[in-house]
């Protein structure tokens, strides 16, 4: 049973466009929702994260929107750049142990120049 | 600078052989993790450790083992390699049990022929 469902699996956008990645979860015990970014040949790296007590968090061109009632959260990349081309993973976590950090299946983003 | 390193970067082995993948971190983090990354499955937790002599099974632990004799290292052993274990393996560490930020290595590409 997949605890965090991520969509779409891949996305192609033009430079300057908006990239949107969606994730949904079932476990209401999750209390921390990070996004990881992975470039080819590298390990994932934490990009941005949100807790359910806020509905939105913005860091530069990256914004997380969180809908607690719908159990959904999304990553928006504004003014997408070719350098944003990477695989993005959403994840969810419950307090009390990193073993409970569960990842979505990932989405490959390609930003065309 | 502190870092987390994995070796080898690439490994080809034969079915039935024992294989050990190395992971070394210099952050002095208590928590260390092994994940495997496969297309369509995202990142799946194999084993993890919260400190010296502590090891725990993750989601896909069958056929794998780990040992933690010091803070810096968490080697992953495939007792008898199988073709289904062909994958990219990532080691990660985090400073506390909250696991709010995982630091990943660059991965080991393992091919079992």
């Amino acid at each position: 049973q997949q605890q965090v469902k991520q969509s779409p699996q891949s996305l192609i956008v033009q430079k300057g466009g908006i990239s949107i990645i969606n994730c949904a979860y079932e476990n209401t015990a999750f209390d921390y929702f990070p996004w990881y970014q992975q470039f080819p040949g590298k390990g994932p790296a934490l990009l941005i994260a949100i807790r359910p007590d806020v509905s939105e968090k913005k860091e530069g061109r990256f914004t997380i929107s969180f809908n607690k009632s719908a159990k959904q959260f999304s990553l928006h990349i504004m003014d997408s750049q070719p350098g944003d081309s990477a695989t993005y993973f959403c994840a969810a976590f419950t307090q009390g142990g990193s073993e409970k950090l569960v990842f979505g299946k990932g989405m490959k983003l390609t930003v065309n120049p | 600078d502190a870092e987390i390193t994995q070796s080898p970067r690439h490994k080809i082995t034969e079915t039935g052989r024992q294989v050990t993948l190395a992971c070394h971190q210099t952050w002095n983090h208590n928590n260390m993790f092994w994940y495997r990354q496969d297309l369509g499955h995202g990142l799946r937790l194999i084993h993890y450790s919260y400190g010296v002599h502590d090891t725990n099974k993750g989601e896909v632990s069958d056929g794998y083992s780990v040992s933690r004799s010091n803070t810096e290292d968490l080697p992953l052993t495939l007792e008898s390699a199988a073709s289904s274990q062909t994958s990219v393996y990532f080691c990660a560490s985090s400073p506390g049990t909250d696991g709010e930020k995982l630091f990943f290595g660059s991965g080991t590409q393992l091919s079992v022929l």
Side-chain angles (χ1 to χ4, degrees):
Chain A
Q1 181 182 359
Q2 187 181 358
Q3 296 191 56
V4 179
K5 296 183 179 180
Q6 187 171 348
S7 63
Q9 287 186 312
S10 62
L11 181 65
I12 300 174
V13 301
Q14 294 300 119
K15 178 181 177 181
I18 301 174
S19 305
I20 301 175
I21 313 167
N22 300 301
C23 282
Y25 65 97
E26 289 297 326
N27 187 351
T28 56
F30 289 139
D31 56 9
Y32 181 71
F33 301 89
W35 286 88
Y36 281 78
Q37 179 188 53
Q38 182 184 30
F39 293 108
K42 301 293 185 182
L46 181 65
L47 180 64
I48 187 173
I50 196 169
R51 296 193 182 277
D53 54 345
V54 297
S55 60
E56 185 175 284
K57 182 174 182 180
K58 183 176 181 179
E59 291 185 1
R61 296 184 293 107
F62 299 89
T63 300
I64 300 178
S65 297
F66 186 82
N67 186 329
K68 189 174 182 178
S69 61
K71 292 186 286 186
Q72 295 176 348
F73 58 110
S74 60
L75 176 68
H76 296 236
I77 306 174
M78 310 300 288
D79 186 27
S80 298
Q81 300 296 312
D84 297 330
S85 297
T87 298
Y88 293 82
F89 292 95
C90 62
F93 169 78
T94 56
Q95 200 76 18
S98 293
E99 82 278 15
K100 294 181 175 63
L101 181 65
V102 291
F103 287 88
K105 292 186 176 182
M107 188 215 75
K108 183 176 181 180
L109 172 66
T110 302
V111 181
N112 289 327
Chain B
D1 288 340
E3 60 180 359
I4 182 167
T5 56
Q6 293 183 236
S7 62
R9 288 299 310 272
H10 303 275
K11 174 75 175 179
I12 300 174
T13 191
E14 296 177 344
T15 301
R17 289 190 180 270
Q18 183 181 78
V19 177
T20 297
L21 309 182
C23 176
H24 179 81
Q25 54 99 1
T26 58
W27 282 299
N28 203 35
H29 288 167
N30 285 326
N31 306 332
M32 296 184 72
F33 311 85
W34 275 103
Y35 289 87
R36 61 178 288 176
Q37 182 177 13
D38 304 286
L39 195 63
H41 291 279
L43 291 159
R44 292 182 291 175
L45 184 63
I46 305 172
H47 281 287
Y48 58 99
S49 168
Y50 283 158
V52 177
H53 303 311
D54 175 73
T55 61
N56 305 279
K57 294 181 179 180
E59 177 188 359
V60 289
S61 61
D62 287 349
Y64 304 94
S65 63
V66 293
S67 62
R68 188 90 180 271
S69 59
N70 59 51
T71 301
E72 297 80 16
D73 299 288
L74 187 70
L76 177 71
T77 297
L78 287 68
E79 302 293 343
S80 178
S83 58
S84 60
Q85 295 177 308
T86 292
S87 184
V88 181
Y89 291 86
F90 287 100
C91 181
S93 70
S94 73
T97 56
D98 286 346
E100 291 193 1
K101 184 170 184 177
L102 294 185
F103 295 83
F104 283 84
S106 294
T108 295
Q109 171 69 63
L110 177 67
S111 298
V112 183
L113 305 179

